[in-house]
Amino acid sequence: MKKYILSLAVVSLFYTKSEACAWADPDYDYFNLFTQSIIKDKSYLPFLHNYSSRFYTDFKRSQIPDENTESWRKFFNNQLSYSETDFLVNKLSMNDLNDLKKGNSTDTILKKLGAGSYQKYREGIDYLIEAKYLEPYMKINYVETADSFYYRENESDKNATNLDYAKTVSALTSLYNAARNPEIKQRYGFQLVRFNHYTRNFDAALQAFKLYVQPVSLRGAVYYMALDQLAGAQRGLQMGSDANWNFFQVFKNSKSRKEGAFVSMKLSDTASFNNILKRAGNNDEKNMAYFLLGYEDFTNPIPMMEKMYDIDPNSEILKVMAARSINELERSYLPTYYYESEKSATTTDVKTSATVTETKEAKPKELSFWQKIVLFFKNLFSSKSDKTKDGTKNDQSDDELLENPNRIPFYTKNESYYYDEKQKDFLDELEKFTDKTKEKSNDEYWQIADAYLKFLKKDYKASTEILDEIKTSNPEYLEEIKRMKVLNDIVSQPKITAEYEDHLMKDYAEYFAEKKIEKDSTNEEGYDYYGSPPSTDSFLKDVLANRYFLQGEDGKSFLMNNKLSDLQYNPNSTLVKSVEDFYRKADKTQFEQQIIAKNMDDVGNIDAFFNLIYGDRAMRLADFDKAKSYYQKAQSFAGIPRENYETYNPKTDKYEKLVYDGTNYDGFKNIPNLIFGHNVWESFQSSDSESMSTENYSAFTFIKPVMNKLELSEALIQLKKIGNGKDQKAAEANQLIGNLLYNTSVLGYYREVFVMDVDNSNGGKYDFWSTDKKSPYQYYYKNFTSTTYVEPDNFDLALNYYKKALSVSNNKEQKARLLFQMASAEQGKYYQYEAKNQANIDYADPKWSEKNDAYQKQMNDLKNQKYRTYFAQLKSQYSDTETARTLLGSCSYFDYFMKR
């Protein structure tokens, strides 16, 4: 497992099942293959589905036109573009407009209005001058209370109460009466309503709307701007039902003010919705009310969509609900990582750091009779070189591969914090609804949605047939159709063969080529807080990684999601061998060369990298001759590739980047002879000179003070030969071998040496495995660096060398030391047993404490009966030795055991 600096390590404590870090973005947890924003009415974009913010934000604000700007553009006879009109109305200074009024304007936009523009548009220009004067004050006066919790340091202190109330009302009223253009007259009315609202003269605001806005028989942008202010005043007068109704009207009829109106409605209870439904005078209003209800309560949207369908199957907001529904399903069918199920979790680390999910067995789609014939002859005439050496996995038929329940995508119940127990797989219901709606609606949207739902159900043939029949010129629809056809093609392929890889490169290369990562432009600093968002490209990489995994091509599966250097974090020899087989494959396809092999990144000498891993594994298995043969080919090893690794330096009190300077341990060189020593005390954080003590090496001059792994293996080979004797020197040789095997185990001070780690600081490599399975992976090798995947230690190897030493030793002090070392190794065997036999008592069980105590007693009894053999022998036969007395002062457990 990767080792991070402390701040990130602390974060990981909270990033468990819920993934609820303050900065974790739940909208990065799925691939978002169905583009919600293809809805035609862009004013509803904020109401698409997301979790990371109150409203959907993954679109450009310019996609939602401001009806006020559109109204002004029409006022100026369309002489200005939309963006120019927006600048004039919202950004141009009041001084520039006064210059125009005086006849000496130099502004290029105002010049576009033509000669004599002030006289032509006098009422509008005068209104804009007045509006720009008022705008800085158009905020409600903030009243501080004991419960206020606002950070207002950088806010302007200006508000509506800073203006002279009587003079402002008089001026606006006079301007209203003087105006002849109905729209400009209504705009002054809007200002009167807003000014009274923001000065908390709520009754006057209601009166102003009645006197100055309603009489003007216009129901455009200005009317709904004023209605929005009226509703705010009604809220201030505790007229909740009327306020909600008017905000509802603003929501329904305004394009750019929907978000604000929705928030202002405060639809927090069923009664609020019922009041709106009662006042709904037509089907459009009823339809909108159902939309709002479905938007607020999104557990299962189908019932509300049925009501909306009964009113108008062509409704635009029904498409919004469909997009939200599909997005909700996507989060369960297309997560960015398919966690292992509880039954398949194979290490303590997996159980604690990964979300446990329930998986519904995939519904296999059988091949057609014709497909089976084609594939039969394809397999019959395929070359043997197409097949890997990975046993039965590679011998699966196409039907078996298609029916594999671990074939992604499939439904997984997401247990993250933003879901609740009501989460439901409503795919079948939504498919039925979409299927009938596409028959009633003339919008191709429903055909696309239906095809996508069939894709989620793995009915790729039906999905493609629907897509082929769609006739549209809508560019967003066309892009979605194109992507879905690619998805259907790739995901439906039974087996990824060399021929199919050629097809991928020929027709879909754009989905696999490296793309330049752009910084997130949605924040001022340009930081990309969450990394690259999940994409179609990354989904297809996961699909292929999963297919290779199911086919038994583990090396290719690994390299789809990881780099070669990542093997350092979990150097499991079986996987490493599969990766090496791919590395050495002579006839790689273009896809393998350009897409997969590029992840064989810079680890220095690749051959040395592989040989070091194999040599380390041989050492852990006490096969020193084999280890030597590998280490001889690993002498050009460039060092464990930790480019971004930082470690704490107590001398400088800083975290510093790891640099191999020729004196520190790099994975191959600079191993001290203390590796043959024994613990003085148990402290991984202390220096080796504090934690370890050397044995007497005088009889073994080939043990150098500092060695590389080749020299270490040669020393062990010589010790093994000497250990075959029957004298005291043989006893000492076997003791040294036993010490090395124990010291490099999960319990030893030098535990990092044979698992490709840079130091012994804690991490997932040093967890005890909880099952006998060879791999914790069920779907693919994604998140590889976060999952423990190192073969467990065999403590019997160390025990056997200690036993040989004990059998020929004639030194009582040495025997006492040997028995203590043997007791330590035996303790490792107990920890392995304990990890595989967890209590698994439900904490909600009312008898949890009682059952847990019983479990602990059972384990303690077993420990003392079966795993305290050598402690007991040390106590009964060697308690009078100097070694035993020394151990009483340095080993608290031994002291406790001796006093029992």
Side-chain angles (χ1 to χ4, degrees):
M1 182 178 286
K2 284 186 176 179
K3 297 178 181 178
Y4 299 96
I5 60 176
L6 180 61
S7 60
L8 192 53
V10 172
V11 168
S12 68
L13 294 175
F14 302 98
Y15 200 86
T16 56
K17 209 171 175 182
S18 66
E19 297 187 353
C21 295
W23 55 86
D25 187 347
D27 293 312
Y28 274 46
D29 286 346
Y30 72 109
F31 286 105
N32 198 15
L33 299 183
F34 183 84
T35 307
Q36 293 187 85
S37 58
I38 64 173
I39 57 172
K40 288 180 178 177
D41 190 340
K42 302 305 182 183
S43 67
Y44 288 98
L45 288 174
F47 297 88
L48 295 174
H49 202 30
N50 72 333
Y51 285 105
S52 56
S53 59
R54 179 75 184 271
F55 296 103
Y56 183 76
T57 58
D58 193 17
F59 64 93
K60 295 179 180 178
R61 279 285 156 186
S62 59
Q63 289 182 266
I64 305 177
D66 185 337
E67 56 268 36
N68 183 44
T69 302
E70 290 177 329
S71 179
W72 275 112
R73 189 180 181 208
K74 186 177 179 180
F75 176 85
F76 290 116
N77 293 314
N78 295 318
Q79 288 181 266
L80 303 177
S81 68
Y82 178 88
S83 59
E84 289 169 336
T85 309
D86 177 65
F87 185 85
L88 187 157
V89 173
N90 297 310
K91 300 180 181 68
L92 194 69
S93 72
M94 186 169 59
N95 290 335
D96 286 322
L97 290 176
N98 276 317
D99 286 344
L100 176 67
K101 188 173 182 177
K102 295 171 186 176
N104 55 6
S105 174
T106 59
D107 184 82
T108 54
I109 290 178
L110 294 177
K111 284 183 176 180
K112 286 188 69 174
L113 294 176
S117 57
Y118 174 71
Q119 293 303 322
K120 186 176 182 181
Y121 303 116
R122 181 179 58 81
E123 285 195 350
I125 300 297
D126 286 346
Y127 170 81
L128 285 172
I129 292 171
E130 179 69 15
K132 287 178 184 290
Y133 167 74
L134 293 172
E135 194 60 32
Y137 300 95
M138 287 300 102
K139 291 187 296 186
I140 201 163
N141 60 319
Y142 178 71
V143 179
E144 199 81 41
T145 69
D147 297 323
S148 295
F149 190 69
Y150 289 92
Y151 181 74
R152 307 177 66 241
E153 181 179 322
N154 297 321
E155 288 187 18
S156 169
D157 291 331
K158 290 181 180 180
N159 64 69
T161 60
N162 297 135
L163 296 172
D164 184 292
Y165 179 78
K167 286 183 178 179
T168 303
V169 170
S170 176
L172 288 172
T173 304
S174 176
L175 290 166
Y176 174 90
N177 290 327
R180 293 292 173 264
N181 183 294
E183 182 180 333
I184 301 302
K185 184 180 282 286
Q186 197 174 52
R187 285 187 182 278
Y188 285 118
F190 155 70
Q191 294 289 358
L192 281 163
V193 178
R194 181 167 70 154
F195 180 62
N196 279 294
H197 173 204
Y198 286 165
T199 54
R200 298 184 186 274
N201 291 290
F202 300 134
D203 285 315
L206 269 63
Q207 191 68 12
F209 185 86
K210 183 178 180 180
L211 290 176
Y212 304 116
V213 177
Q214 277 187 324
V216 181
S217 57
L218 295 176
R219 293 297 182 265
V222 183
Y223 176 83
Y224 290 106
M225 289 162 59
L227 190 65
D228 193 28
Q229 296 297 322
L230 170 68
Q234 289 172 327
R235 179 77 69 204
L237 292 171
Q238 307 299 312
M239 300 168 62
S241 180
D242 289 337
N244 273 354
W245 177 251
N246 285 323
F247 281 129
F248 175 74
Q249 292 298 322
V250 175
F251 179 89
K252 179 177 178 295
N253 293 284
S254 171
K255 294 179 180 178
S256 60
R257 287 171 174 75
K258 290 189 186 295
E259 291 171 71
F262 178 81
V263 172
S264 299
M265 269 188 271
K266 296 184 179 179
L267 300 173
S268 57
D269 53 66
T270 305
S272 300
F273 283 105
N274 288 338
N275 286 335
I276 289 177
L277 276 173
K278 287 177 184 177
R279 296 179 71 162
N282 55 53
N283 283 339
D284 282 348
E285 290 177 342
K286 289 179 181 178
N287 202 28
M288 188 63 69
Y290 285 133
F291 168 77
L292 292 176
L293 181 57
Y295 178 83
E296 280 289 80
D297 183 14
F298 204 68
T299 305
N300 181 6
I302 306 301
M304 206 55 59
M305 291 173 68
E306 291 285 2
K307 292 179 182 292
M308 295 170 68
Y309 172 86
D310 291 339
I311 294 173
D312 182 9
N314 280 303
S315 166
E316 284 297 312
I317 51 178
L318 186 55
K319 296 166 197 168
V320 178
M321 289 295 287
R324 288 173 55 82
S325 303
I326 292 172
N327 185 269
E328 175 69 15
L329 286 169
E330 275 197 11
R331 292 168 188 269
S332 293
Y333 277 90
L334 303 173
T336 52
Y337 180 67
Y338 289 82
Y339 294 101
E340 319 309 327
S341 67
E342 189 170 5
K343 290 182 180 180
S344 71
T346 59
T347 71
T348 303
D349 183 66
V350 173
K351 287 184 178 179
T352 57
S353 67
T355 304
V356 176
T357 61
E358 292 179 10
T359 61
K360 186 171 72 175
E361 188 165 329
K363 297 178 181 178
K365 294 293 177 184
E366 289 192 6
L367 296 175
S368 69
F369 178 72
W370 175 247
Q371 284 176 310
K372 289 180 179 180
I373 292 175
V374 172
L375 288 169
F376 170 78
F377 284 103
K378 185 177 178 180
N379 290 332
L380 183 64
F381 295 108
S382 63
S383 65
K384 290 182 180 180
S385 62
D386 291 337
K387 299 185 178 182
T388 69
K389 302 174 182 179
D390 205 354
T392 56
K393 268 191 177 182
N394 196 56
D395 295 333
Q396 297 174 92
S397 68
D398 292 301
D399 279 352
E400 287 172 327
L401 288 168
L402 285 170
E403 293 168 9
N404 193 311
N406 295 333
R407 184 180 173 88
I408 64 174
F410 54 80
Y411 180 80
T412 61
K413 186 175 181 181
N414 195 316
E415 296 184 6
S416 296
Y417 72 95
Y418 41 86
Y419 287 91
D420 57 31
E421 68 280 358
K422 296 179 182 178
Q423 184 194 352
K424 179 182 177 182
D425 182 7
F426 51 86
L427 177 57
D428 289 339
E429 295 174 74
L430 184 59
E431 184 193 27
K432 291 176 183 176
F433 178 86
T434 305
D435 195 48
K436 74 174 183 181
T437 308
K438 74 178 183 182
E439 300 301 325
K440 290 282 187 179
S441 174
N442 55 9
D443 191 335
E444 301 88 359
Y445 173 90
W446 292 103
Q447 292 169 273
I448 296 172
D450 191 37
Y452 188 79
L453 294 174
K454 285 178 169 54
F455 159 75
L456 291 183
K457 294 189 74 171
K458 300 190 177 184
D459 192 351
Y460 308 120
K461 180 182 178 183
S463 177
T464 302
E465 287 175 351
I466 294 170
L467 295 171
D468 287 339
E469 293 174 359
I470 298 175
K471 308 298 181 188
T472 181
S473 58
N474 184 312
E476 290 183 302
Y477 287 4
L478 290 171
E479 180 61 31
E480 183 68 24
I481 291 168
K482 174 188 172 184
R483 179 166 63 251
M484 287 175 61
K485 285 182 177 180
V486 174
L487 292 173
N488 280 328
D489 182 0
I490 295 176
V491 178
S492 64
Q493 179 67 15
K495 185 173 185 178
I496 309 302
T497 62
E499 291 82 4
Y500 195 76
E501 287 173 344
D502 290 339
H503 165 57
L504 293 176
M505 288 304 292
K506 179 182 177 182
D507 300 311
Y508 307 135
E510 64 187 278
Y511 291 99
F512 300 101
E514 285 290 331
K515 293 180 176 60
K516 185 179 179 181
I517 299 174
E518 300 289 342
K519 283 188 175 181
D520 183 3
S521 59
T522 60
N523 56 79
E524 292 180 5
E525 299 87 356
Y527 296 138
D528 188 355
Y529 294 115
Y530 304 111
S532 300
S535 64
T536 303
D537 306 22
S538 49
F539 170 73
L540 291 176
K541 285 182 179 179
D542 278 14
V543 167
L544 291 173
N546 171 252
R547 300 303 187 260
Y548 290 134
F549 182 85
L550 298 181
Q551 292 171 198
E553 297 180 82
D554 291 57
K556 291 170 70 172
S557 177
F558 169 82
L559 290 169
M560 285 302 299
N561 292 127
N562 306 277
K563 292 184 176 295
L564 178 61
S565 59
D566 290 335
L567 285 173
Q568 68 187 288
Y569 298 107
N570 294 299
N572 181 281
S573 48
T574 302
L575 174 60
V576 172
K577 182 63 171 65
S578 184
V579 176
E580 187 194 19
D581 287 343
F582 173 74
Y583 163 64
R584 300 194 185 284
K585 182 182 177 184
D587 55 343
K588 293 184 180 73
T589 65
Q590 185 185 4
F591 184 85
E592 289 174 328
Q593 292 175 42
Q594 296 183 15
I595 307 303
I596 305 178
K598 67 179 176 56
N599 288 325
M600 310 285 283
D601 62 343
D602 184 14
V603 296
N605 186 301
I606 295 178
D607 292 296
F609 181 79
F610 284 122
N611 280 296
L612 181 78
I613 294 174
Y614 296 142
D616 286 350
R617 182 59 183 157
M619 289 290 265
R620 294 181 72 204
L621 295 174
D623 192 341
F624 309 128
D625 290 295
K626 182 181 285 187
K628 177 183 175 181
S629 69
Y630 284 123
Y631 288 148
Q632 285 174 330
K633 294 178 282 189
Q635 294 182 73
S636 57
F637 180 67
I640 298 172
R642 295 285 175 93
E643 292 181 8
N644 300 317
Y645 180 82
E646 291 184 339
T647 187
Y648 176 71
N649 185 341
K651 294 179 181 178
T652 61
D653 193 33
K654 294 179 180 178
Y655 281 92
E656 298 175 354
K657 188 173 181 179
L658 176 67
V659 176
Y660 297 123
D661 58 9
T663 62
N664 54 344
Y665 173 67
D666 67 354
F668 186 75
K669 298 189 286 277
N670 301 312
I671 303 168
N673 62 12
L674 279 169
I675 199 169
F676 287 109
H678 62 264
N679 281 95
V680 176
W681 68 324
E682 190 79 23
S683 175
F684 290 106
Q685 290 75 36
S686 302
S687 66
D688 54 2
S689 61
E690 294 175 290
S691 291
M692 302 294 291
S693 177
T694 60
E695 304 288 359
N696 181 7
Y697 304 142
S698 59
F700 311 105
T701 56
F702 49 82
I703 296 179
K704 301 176 182 179
V706 178
M707 297 165 280
N708 62 37
K709 286 185 174 177
L710 178 58
E711 294 168 329
L712 186 63
S713 64
E714 290 171 338
L716 284 161
I717 290 170
Q718 293 190 59
L719 287 171
K720 186 176 179 181
K721 288 179 182 177
I722 296 169
N724 289 329
K726 300 294 182 182
D727 56 6
Q728 185 61 29
K729 188 175 181 180
E732 292 173 0
N734 285 309
Q735 181 182 14
L736 294 180
I737 297 174
N739 282 357
L740 177 132
L741 291 173
Y742 176 79
N743 290 336
T744 55
S745 74
V746 65
L747 295 177
Y749 182 86
Y750 292 101
R751 58 187 180 177
E752 78 276 14
V753 172
F754 299 134
V755 291
M756 214 176 204
D757 209 346
V758 293
D759 59 39
N760 65 15
S761 57
N762 202 22
K765 287 183 178 182
Y766 311 123
D767 289 339
F768 284 93
W769 275 46
S770 59
T771 80
D772 291 319
K773 290 184 177 180
K774 290 184 177 181
S775 167
Y777 290 91
Q778 187 174 356
Y779 308 115
Y780 49 10
Y781 291 101
K782 196 171 184 179
N783 282 15
F784 179 80
T785 59
S786 302
T787 306
T788 304
Y789 190 41
V790 180
E791 292 99 335
D793 294 301
N794 184 352
F795 287 99
D796 284 326
L797 294 173
L799 281 168
N800 289 337
Y801 279 101
Y802 284 138
K803 287 176 182 178
K804 289 178 68 176
L806 190 67
S807 68
V808 297
S809 176
N810 55 20
N811 184 312
K812 194 171 184 179
E813 292 294 335
Q814 184 189 25
K815 286 188 173 185
R817 167 61 61 186
L818 284 166
L819 284 169
F820 181 77
Q821 293 295 108
M822 293 167 76
S824 299
E826 191 177 42
Q827 180 83 346
K829 294 183 69 173
Y830 169 73
Y831 289 144
Q832 289 177 333
Y833 176 85
E834 183 183 52
K836 295 175 184 178
N837 294 275
Q838 295 296 306
N840 295 323
I841 305 167
D842 188 348
Y843 195 71
D845 190 327
K847 294 186 177 181
W848 180 87
S849 182
E850 178 184 331
K851 291 180 180 179
N852 190 61
D853 290 344
Y855 166 76
Q856 291 298 334
K857 183 180 183 305
Q858 179 185 356
M859 296 303 288
N860 286 334
D861 290 344
L862 179 71
K863 185 194 304 181
N864 290 317
Q865 292 166 12
K866 192 174 179 180
Y867 295 97
R868 289 292 177 265
T869 309
Y870 304 110
F871 266 135
Q873 192 174 344
L874 178 57
K875 177 180 179 180
S876 64
Q877 299 177 29
Y878 298 92
S879 58
D880 60 338
T881 60
E882 182 63 30
T883 299
R885 284 191 288 272
T886 302
L887 288 169
L888 286 173
S890 61
C891 178
S892 59
Y893 187 82
F894 182 62
D895 180 57
Y896 163 76
F897 187 84
M898 292 291 280
K899 292 176 181 177
R900 288 182 61 212

